[in-house]
Amino acid sequence: IMITTKGGKTGKPVINFDRSIFTSRLRRSGKNVARARKQHPGAFAKLNLARYGSYGKAQHARLESGMAIDSVIAMESTFWGMFQIGGFNWRRCQVESVDEFARLMAESEAMQLELFARFMQSTGMVEYLRKKNWRAFARAYNGAGYARKGYHTRYALTPNLFSNITVFNFNWIVA
């Protein structure tokens, strides 16, 4: 959690709308990307912190603009919550639709943790956590570029940060 997210108390989940995934999925669906850019430039623009006042508000504005083009593709192109689970993984979180996934992500941080646990179980990544195989976990969770960003070494340090604090004890997921 501490490694990958930016905080904020807006009543909305932390998100990261990924323009490159959005554009790619629009193309694959047969949508006219050039027309979409003209009609809804906010979905494709760089984040405008000056206009929206914060990173979180700018990301939500970008998502809203993307949803005006195609709501399913926009939600699937967004990384959600404190664990930054890609919306395209909604089935792996054992929900019925990307709409339900987004609604549950907005419900609470406890629900975000529940969805993360489902995701870890359904993808088999929980085994990497059990074995403390941080390299394999980082590769599966963060993708091929994990080593360049040092995720595996940062994950290896994380369990020691909270070893004496029971409220952050995630043994239930790895036991």
Side-chain angles (χ1 to χ4, degrees):
I1 302 167
M2 293 176 58
I3 292 171
T4 60
T5 65
K6 294 180 172 85
K9 298 287 181 197
T10 63
K12 295 182 178 182
V14 173
I15 64 164
N16 180 14
F17 180 81
D18 191 304
R19 294 179 300 168
S20 62
I21 293 174
F22 182 64
T23 301
S24 173
R25 286 178 170 259
L26 284 175
R27 282 193 182 105
R28 278 189 278 153
S29 75
K31 298 251 190 298
N32 184 324
V33 174
R35 185 177 328 143
R37 279 184 201 274
K38 285 182 182 176
Q39 293 175 340
H40 303 281
F44 302 94
K46 290 184 179 182
L47 287 180
N48 187 338
L49 300 182
R51 179 176 179 188
Y52 296 103
S54 73
Y55 179 86
K57 288 178 183 176
Q59 284 288 4
H60 278 278
R62 191 189 274 173
L63 171 60
E64 288 170 19
S65 184
M67 288 180 70
I69 299 166
D70 187 302
S71 63
V72 170
I73 291 174
M75 287 185 284
E76 289 181 340
S77 301
T78 301
F79 291 86
W80 294 84
M82 61 185 170
F83 298 99
Q84 292 293 277
I85 300 171
F88 50 83
N89 286 310
W90 61 267
R91 287 179 189 88
R92 292 178 172 155
C93 293
Q94 302 165 9
V95 296
E96 296 297 318
S97 67
V98 70
D99 289 301
E100 180 184 11
F101 173 79
R103 182 182 59 74
L104 291 173
M105 280 291 183
E107 186 176 296
S108 69
E109 289 176 342
M111 183 51 72
Q112 291 173 21
L113 181 59
E114 171 65 28
L115 293 171
F116 175 71
R118 293 179 193 179
F119 180 64
M120 290 293 103
Q121 288 288 342
S122 71
T123 60
M125 283 189 258
V126 72
E127 288 304 314
Y128 301 138
L129 294 175
R130 280 191 181 112
K131 295 175 183 176
K132 297 182 181 178
N133 185 342
W134 305 117
R135 188 174 296 277
F137 176 74
R139 185 181 309 109
Y141 191 65
N142 299 105
Y146 77 94
R148 185 175 61 254
K149 294 184 179 179
Y151 284 123
H152 60 301
T153 56
R154 291 160 39 184
Y155 290 141
L157 297 173
T158 302
N160 298 328
L161 293 174
F162 304 113
S163 60
N164 296 323
I165 304 173
T166 56
V167 74
F168 289 103
N169 186 346
F170 289 104
N171 287 337
W172 62 270
I173 196 171
V174 295

